[in-house]
Amino acid sequence: DLFLFGCMTSLRYSDLISVREHHIINGNIVKQSEKTDIEQIIPLTKLSKEILERYDYNLQLYTTQSYNRLLKRMGKESGIFESEVVLVEQRGNQKLEIRKRKWECLESHTARRTFITRAITKGIPLNVIMGITGHTRIETLTRYMDKYTPTNGYRELLEE
């Protein structure tokens, strides 16, 4: 439920676990980001509202570390995250390729990346995505996308 809620709202884990009923205004989550202190207005779907109600508007169930361990375990046990991914890290002037199973990459922030990727592929304008995610600079959002998803020309398109 927490992971799905994160995928539907783009909230960082620190913000996700701090949502309470008083943050729900006209079908939206309206709250200041814990990290950036920027007000986010996030539309709730029927399912995201049901999740909040199921937990009585208190999603603070795990520490970040235990939540991330649980996501990895569930991802491994599900069997659907067995394929290998290649991550490229820049260390100094070297690019290192690191191979991992997809389940090893699951973490609370994966939900936020999933939201951004899905929003872009659905054609939601970047300024709307930025309003939901709390990003203030387009460059930050495009770096975010480039790090974890195929760019498919996003950066090039935005720099034209």
Side-chain angles (χ1 to χ4, degrees), residues 5 19 24 48-57 59:
F5 190 80
V19 171
I24 310 306
S48 57
K49 184 151 177 48
E50 287 173 6
I51 291 170
L52 281 174
E53 290 169 351
R54 186 175 307 133
Y55 293 93
D56 198 26
Y57 295 87
L59 301 177

